[in-house]
Amino acid sequence: MTRREQARNDRGYFAIGVYRPKTAANIGTLWRTATLYGAAMIFTVGERYQRQPSDTPKTWRHIPLLHFADLDDLVEHLPFSAPLVGVELDERAKPLWKFAHPERAVYLLGAEDDGLPPAVLNRCHHVIQIESDQAQSMNVATAGAVITYHRHMTRGAA
């Protein structure tokens, strides 16, 4: 890869968060993974993050942790030119392996019990899903790890 190509791959940023998170342990694990793969920001929508043991590096000390009251609040504060990418099992979702991650992106995952409701998916610029042999939801921390790793690998950071 040329230096110019590497510089182009190094541009951009991403944020990752959860809509109405269910368990603090899963959120802490997601934040830890987000830190490992270079997230610029982490966030919650509709619920407050509470410190707990699985966030061993204390992610909030290294990258911004934001709390949005609801989806409107998140959308109103999206960074300029950073699309909202919903991660959900949905018929209109693009398989992750076919998805070209934008230079800038805000990834939104749903809690395991509710996922992302249709009204939320309708506000997303892109909807992607992680394919599996079973048609059931993945743990939110695991799904976030897969998404951030895929972004890392396909944007030339490997």
Side-chain angles (χ1 to χ4, degrees), residues 13-80:
Y13 56 85
F14 76 96
I16 190 162
V18 180
Y19 181 80
R20 299 184 57 212
K22 181 180 176 184
T23 65
N26 283 335
I27 300 306
T29 302
L30 175 61
W31 295 167
R32 183 176 184 175
T33 302
T35 301
L36 292 173
Y37 289 106
M41 178 182 81
I42 53 179
F43 64 93
T44 61
V45 177
E47 295 276 332
R48 299 290 300 191
Y49 165 77
Q50 296 178 10
R51 186 188 177 291
Q52 44 61 55
S54 63
D55 183 13
T56 56
K58 297 182 176 124
T59 303
W60 49 269
R61 293 176 63 190
H62 307 286
I63 61 177
L65 166 62
L66 302 178
H67 306 288
F68 299 100
D70 54 30
L71 184 65
D72 289 335
D73 189 21
L74 170 63
V75 170
E76 183 178 327
H77 293 97
L78 284 174
F80 176 75

Side-chain angles (χ1 to χ4, degrees), residues 2 5 14 20 23 29 42 52 60 62 72 77 91-92 98 101 111 115-116 119 122 124-125 135 137 152 157:
T2 69
E5 289 169 330
F14 76 96
R20 299 184 57 212
T23 65
T29 302
I42 53 179
Q52 44 61 55
W60 49 269
H62 307 286
D72 289 335
H77 293 97
E91 63 186 30
R92 62 194 142 171
K98 290 184 176 181
H101 294 271
L116 294 176
N122 289 338
C124 293
H125 299 98
S137 69
H152 171 77

Side-chain angles (χ1 to χ4, degrees), residues 81-134:
S81 189
L84 183 60
V85 180
V87 181
E88 184 60 64
L89 294 174
D90 188 82
E91 63 186 30
R92 62 194 142 171
K94 184 178 226 174
L96 179 60
W97 67 272
K98 290 184 176 181
F99 184 65
H101 294 271
E103 186 174 270
R104 295 160 306 284
V106 176
Y107 298 94
L108 181 61
L109 298 101
E112 293 97 323
D113 56 348
D114 293 333
L116 294 176
V120 172
L121 292 173
N122 289 338
R123 304 279 302 271
C124 293
H125 299 98
H126 305 280
V127 179
I128 59 175
Q129 66 180 337
I130 302 166
E131 312 76 36
S132 66
D133 291 339
Q134 310 258 330

